[in-house]
Amino acid sequence: MVIRPVRPVALVTDEESLPIDWDMPLLLKACEVIGLKTDVRSWEDADVDWSRYSAVLLRSPWTYVERLPDFLDWCGRITAHTLLLNPLSVVRWSLDKRYLADLAAHGVPVVPTAFVEPGEDPSRAVREFLAAHPRSEEIVVKPTVGAYSKNVQRFARSREAEAAGHVARLHEDGAVLMQPYLPSVDRHGETDLIYFDGAYSHAIRKSAMLMADGTVNVPTLESRRARDAGADERAVASAVLDAAASHLGLDRPLLYGRVDLIRGEDGAPMVLEAELCEPSLSLPFAEEGALRFAEALAKRLEWRSG
Ligand SMILES: Nc1ncnc2c1ncn2[C@@H]1O[C@H](COP(=O)(O)OP(=O)(O)O)[C@@H](O)[C@H]1O
Ligand SMILES: [Mg+2]
């Protein structure tokens, strides 16, 4: 018999993000089905007594992008009172795309990436990156900390000066990364694979977000559809989760994680992003995924109480 924890789980969002958290209604329903008590709470609500909860599950606290130090402080405080999921070490590591270098060091195929730290010369960095990738017709410049395609831009080789200007602007807020633009995303989109407790749950196809004319789309539901991930994609995504666990010294699989892949020109999948903090899980495209998540959460809490 499964013993459910008496204290509820806080599902963490914020007022601005809740209306666009399409996973939340499905997750709430799934938790209710299995008898797991939940409260929806904003991380920005100073009146919440977090010690009331058996766990605090990061779901859609997406205003953190503008308030990263506050959010990390808040995560630290939560950790002192209750179980933060995913744990603080995972949150810290995965919020900064410099983790791509760690994944590459573990042998995971990642999209070729160069980092440009504040203080480095943007023009020189872009020039050297273009020289190192002579076959790339376009490059992507993005902040190492970001979400929702915010400040992600695509530049043709001929727009080297504009790319350097974008690097310089982003340096006001922190480090920057550059990648070749992978054109397969225009034809095949990216594949986002969702895992619960180390096991593959489902995947979606997400359309290209960076348009050739410079328009940047936001990843709405319309840009997604269900997709069955290939065996090669599942192997890379599993390798990402294993590498993360090993890098951070975790003793059990992550409760949840999303790995985003784009295929290179040779067809091999490469890691664009590993979302291990507060990923959108595209549950509307795989409703049984919500139940798998709720079951994995319940199991995690039993382990803890056991
Ligand atoms: N190297 C790339 N090649 C092709 N498309 C890219 C590349 N990098 C980013 N993109 C596009 O930009 C979107 C946002 O970039 P991503 O790295 O996922 O950052 P974010 O954390 O903002 O989601 C992706 O979903 C993809 O459509
Ligand atoms: Mg993304």
Side-chain angles (χ1 to χ4, degrees), residues 97 111 140 142 146-150 152 179-182 185 190 206-210 260 262 272-273 275:
K97 291 190 174 71
V111 176
V140 176
K142 58 182 115 168
Y148 268 103
S149 313
K150 197 174 168 212
V152 181
Q179 295 172 332
Y181 183 79
L182 301 182
V185 76
E190 67 179 66
K206 190 185 281 172
S207 308
M209 293 291 123
L210 310 178
D260 301 349
I262 301 183
L272 178 68
E273 192 173 13
E275 289 262 17

Side-chain angles (χ1 to χ4, degrees), residues 22-181:
W22 301 292
D23 300 324
M24 188 69 96
L26 295 163
L27 183 58
L28 284 171
K29 197 168 123 205
C31 288
E32 197 185 315
V33 166
I34 67 162
L36 192 62
K37 282 193 235 161
T38 53
D39 282 344
V40 176
R41 287 282 176 253
S42 167
W43 75 278
E44 296 178 313
D45 182 346
D47 296 330
V48 178
D49 173 6
W50 299 100
S51 64
R52 286 189 52 230
Y53 295 104
S54 56
V56 169
L57 183 69
L58 299 173
R59 286 310 318 133
S60 46
W62 297 323
T63 52
Y64 81 84
V65 179
E66 312 293 337
R67 303 182 49 201
L68 191 62
D70 291 343
F71 181 67
L72 289 173
D73 282 354
W74 177 83
C75 288
R77 287 200 300 280
I78 293 305
T79 301
H81 292 292
T82 179
L83 174 68
L84 180 70
L85 292 166
N86 284 329
L88 183 61
S89 64
V90 178
V91 169
R92 282 190 186 286
W93 181 73
S94 73
L95 283 184
D96 187 326
K97 291 190 174 71
R98 278 180 276 205
Y99 64 71
L100 289 170
D102 298 325
L103 293 177
H106 280 267
V108 176
V110 305
V111 176
T113 303
F115 298 93
V116 198
E117 299 296 329
E120 287 183 54
D121 177 1
S123 302
R124 185 174 164 184
V126 172
R127 193 168 59 243
E128 287 179 357
F129 188 73
L130 288 170
H133 297 275
R135 294 178 56 219
S136 300
E137 286 173 24
E138 295 173 86
I139 61 166
V140 176
V141 175
K142 58 182 115 168
T144 62
V145 179
Y148 268 103
S149 313
K150 197 174 168 212
N151 291 323
V152 181
Q153 278 189 28
R154 162 183 177 185
F155 297 95
R157 292 188 85 85
S158 58
R159 295 174 61 217
E160 185 179 325
E162 284 162 80
H166 190 50
V167 173
R169 266 191 306 283
L170 294 184
H171 269 169
E172 287 169 25
D173 292 319
V176 174
L177 68 83
M178 296 181 293
Q179 295 172 332
Y181 183 79

Side-chain angles (χ1 to χ4, degrees), residues 1 42 46 57 109 115 132 137 163 191 206 243 266 277-278 285 300:
M1 198 187 93
S42 167
L57 183 69
F115 298 93
E137 286 173 24
T191 307
K206 190 185 281 172
D266 62 355
C277 175
E278 32 53 58
F285 298 94
R300 188 62 55 117

Side-chain angles (χ1 to χ4, degrees), residues 206-262:
K206 190 185 281 172
S207 308
M209 293 291 123
L210 310 178
M211 303 294 98
D213 67 1
T215 312
V216 179
N217 293 335
V218 288
T220 57
L221 276 188
E222 288 68 43
S223 61
R224 309 176 202 187
R225 61 172 197 249
R227 162 182 273 179
D228 208 14
D232 55 351
E233 293 175 309
R234 294 188 199 198
V236 171
S238 293
V240 167
L241 298 177
D242 289 349
S246 145
H247 184 79
L248 296 167
L250 307 179
D251 56 3
R252 60 178 70 165
L254 291 166
L255 174 64
Y256 59 84
R258 195 188 88 210
V259 179
D260 301 349
L261 306 174
I262 301 183

